Amino acid sequence: SLLVETENKGITNLQKLARELPPVVALAAQIGVSFEEVAAANATATQKMGSQAEVATALESIMRSLIKPNETLTAILQQLGYDTGRFAIEAEGLLPLLERIRQSVDDKTFGKAFVDTGLVAAMALTGSNAQKAAENLEIMKLAGGDGL
């Protein structure tokens, strides 16, 4: 199942996932981020950040930043051809979008686009970690057919 794969690929357990992920999944559903993407992001980020609670907070922060972007992120999204973060997510998916944002700007600008733990998670999902995030997403897509 998807939650078991999330547990296997990340540094977490089913109890922590059950406690921490529901608000992340609810927000993700509102903006068109699949549960498979949330699971892949969670698994990848916990490998780098460790704490399931911190990762859940960080993933929410990333999505909230894309829903209501600051001036820097708005400019980056416009540079990529999007009026809103929601349109960008719908067009590209969360993980590919984060990597595209990361590749389109220098580290200092990327650091201004996201805040606090959201930035830490965005860094954990992009750059040298993007391949692992993409691999985890493929694994989650395969497991997704099994349900939760």
Side-chain angles (χ1 to χ4, degrees), residues 26-44:
L27 178 59
Q30 291 175 21
I31 62 170
V33 176
S34 71
F35 187 52
E36 290 85 0
E37 274 200 285
V38 171
N42 190 87
T44 307

Side-chain angles (χ1 to χ4, degrees), residues 48-124:
K48 300 296 176 182
M49 297 169 64
S51 165
Q52 177 60 62
E54 184 179 358
V55 168
T57 299
L59 293 176
E60 280 188 83
S61 177
I62 288 171
M63 288 186 282
R64 290 189 192 289
S65 292
L66 287 163
I67 292 168
K68 190 174 181 178
N70 62 26
E71 188 176 312
T72 301
L73 187 52
T74 297
I76 295 168
L77 290 169
Q78 289 174 346
Q79 173 188 331
L80 297 176
Y82 298 108
D83 292 330
T84 69
R86 185 170 288 174
F87 288 144
I89 290 168
E90 288 174 9
E92 299 195 29
L94 179 63
L95 295 173
L97 175 63
L98 289 174
E99 179 60 14
R100 190 156 176 233
I101 291 169
R102 176 88 184 262
Q103 295 300 319
S104 71
V105 296
D106 60 36
D107 286 346
K108 183 177 180 182
T109 304
F110 190 74
K112 292 178 181 178
F114 298 97
V115 296
D116 304 324
T117 58
L119 174 59
V120 175
M123 298 287 284

Side-chain angles (χ1 to χ4, degrees), residues 1-8 14 17-18 21 35 39 140 147-148:
S1 83
L2 199 51
L3 287 176
V4 172
E5 285 298 336
T6 306
E7 178 182 39
N8 291 340
L14 292 175
L17 289 168
L21 271 191
F35 187 52
M140 299 308 164
L148 299 178

